[in-house]
Amino acid sequence: TQMLAQVHQGLGDMNKLASDVGGLQRVLTNVKSRGIFGEVQLAGLLEQVFAPDQYAANVATVPGSSERVEFAVRFPGSSGEAPVWLPLDAKFPREDYVRLLDAQERGEPELARAAGDALERRVRLEAARIREKYIAVPHTTEFAILFLPTEGLYAEVLRRPGLVEALQRDQRIAVAGPTTLLALMTSFQMGFRTLAIEQRSSEVWQTLGAVKTEFTKFGTALDGVKKKLDEASNKLEDTGRRTRVLTRKLREVEALPVEDSQRLLGADFDDGSED
């Protein structure tokens, strides 16, 4: 009975997994949902690397344009005021990609070739749109990133001979999958840290200069204290010498007869024996 219960539970888990996969399939069938899927993937990767003020969502990278890119990384501008944006846009051409996979699984090279060509045309078109909508030097970088949210799709794009190179050369668009994008963003983050160190180095230098000035003042004050201490020490030494002289005189008085001590100290120091 226990084994039957475990088998029943396992079948229930399998049914749930099958329904989840079906739900994901329906999500990815919808164009809007596919866009959200890619955007969520992109947002998750950016959150892993950057601080919230280092990137932004729905950015109008071209001044005066109503087009807004999904995300943009904020680089400091040369003027120190307006930032320079690096546009990032997620694309997921699922239909062309699924047709390509189906043709490859069925062993139909002609259909696979046609589906691959369609996928390439779609990627080129999306890259041209990103270039037209979101790149405007000097407000943006000279290139943008087209993000493909699955490693399999990114691998298929890489397999197209000369496609990635042509997009970089002609459209100024870099194609990235999840792993590649994470590596790129990490390198940018290291650049931000280096830039922050360079920007703060002048502040550190100014602080060291101020510390040096204050330390000089402190040294002057310390010299004054030392001088006063030396004067006090000299006074103490002089007082010590006088004390030793008086002590020696007192010892001599103790050793004198009464008549001699009265003669030396005066009649006022009479011992009052007559009283």
Side-chain angles (χ1 to χ4, degrees):
T1 305
Q2 184 177 1
M3 292 182 64
L4 288 175
Q6 291 177 352
V7 170
H8 179 72
Q9 181 180 358
L11 290 174
D13 293 339
M14 291 178 63
N15 289 331
K16 183 177 183 299
L17 178 61
S19 64
D20 291 342
V21 171
L24 179 60
Q25 182 76 10
R26 288 191 298 272
V27 166
L28 297 182
T29 301
N30 183 271
V31 175
K32 184 176 180 181
S33 298
R34 289 202 307 273
I36 294 175
F37 172 73
E39 186 175 347
V40 169
Q41 288 282 90
L42 182 53
L45 290 172
L46 294 175
E47 289 175 359
Q48 291 182 44
V49 179
F50 294 122
D53 61 343
Q54 292 177 327
Y55 72 99
N58 300 318
V59 181
T61 56
V62 179
S65 174
S66 61
E67 300 290 349
R68 294 181 174 271
V69 70
E70 290 175 352
F71 291 95
V73 178
R74 181 187 284 107
F75 288 92
S78 58
S79 63
E81 297 178 357
V84 176
W85 296 104
L86 166 61
L88 297 96
D89 209 34
K91 300 297 179 184
F92 192 10
R94 179 184 176 278
E95 290 85 356
D96 298 323
Y97 179 50
V98 169
R99 281 195 292 268
L100 175 60
L101 294 181
D102 289 342
Q104 290 174 344
E105 289 176 0
R106 292 196 301 267
E108 298 177 348
E110 293 299 327
L111 290 177
R113 187 178 301 108
D117 291 342
L119 176 63
E120 179 174 334
R121 287 193 298 271
R122 177 67 183 278
V123 171
R124 287 181 181 272
L125 177 62
E126 295 295 351
R129 288 175 176 172
I130 292 174
R131 166 76 177 180
E132 179 182 356
K133 292 180 179 180
Y134 307 128
I135 297 180
V137 180
H139 307 289
T140 68
T141 55
E142 294 183 353
F143 69 98
I145 295 178
L146 190 161
F147 174 65
L148 301 174
T150 68
E151 296 292 356
L153 175 58
Y154 177 60
E156 289 297 337
V157 172
L158 287 180
R159 289 192 186 101
R160 306 298 299 177
L163 175 58
V164 173
E165 292 80 3
L167 295 179
Q168 292 176 348
R169 181 184 63 252
D170 302 332
Q171 304 293 344
R172 310 296 293 175
I173 298 297
V175 182
T179 302
T180 307
L181 183 72
L182 186 59
L184 283 173
M185 297 301 105
T186 302
S187 65
F188 289 154
Q189 176 66 357
M190 294 301 295
F192 284 149
R193 292 177 182 177
T194 302
L195 180 63
I197 291 174
E198 291 177 353
Q199 290 177 340
R200 294 301 298 275
S201 63
S202 60
E203 299 179 12
V204 173
W205 184 255
Q206 292 173 1
T207 301
L208 290 175
V211 170
K212 180 181 178 181
T213 301
E214 291 301 323
F215 191 79
T216 302
K217 296 179 181 178
F218 175 75
T220 302
L222 192 61
D223 290 339
V225 172
K226 182 177 181 301
K227 183 179 179 181
K228 293 296 184 182
L229 289 175
D230 290 341
E231 293 177 356
S233 177
N234 293 334
K235 292 293 184 183
L236 287 174
E237 290 179 2
D238 184 57
T239 303
R241 285 194 300 270
R242 294 179 179 277
T243 302
R244 287 192 296 272
V245 171
L246 289 175
T247 302
R248 189 168 57 251
K249 291 293 184 181
L250 289 175
R251 287 176 182 172
E252 293 175 357
V253 169
E254 290 178 355
L256 289 175
V258 176
E259 296 81 2
D260 294 338
S261 64
Q262 290 179 349
R263 178 173 54 80
L264 290 174
L265 296 178
D268 292 338
F269 285 86
D270 191 355
D271 57 1
S273 56
E274 294 179 358
D275 291 339

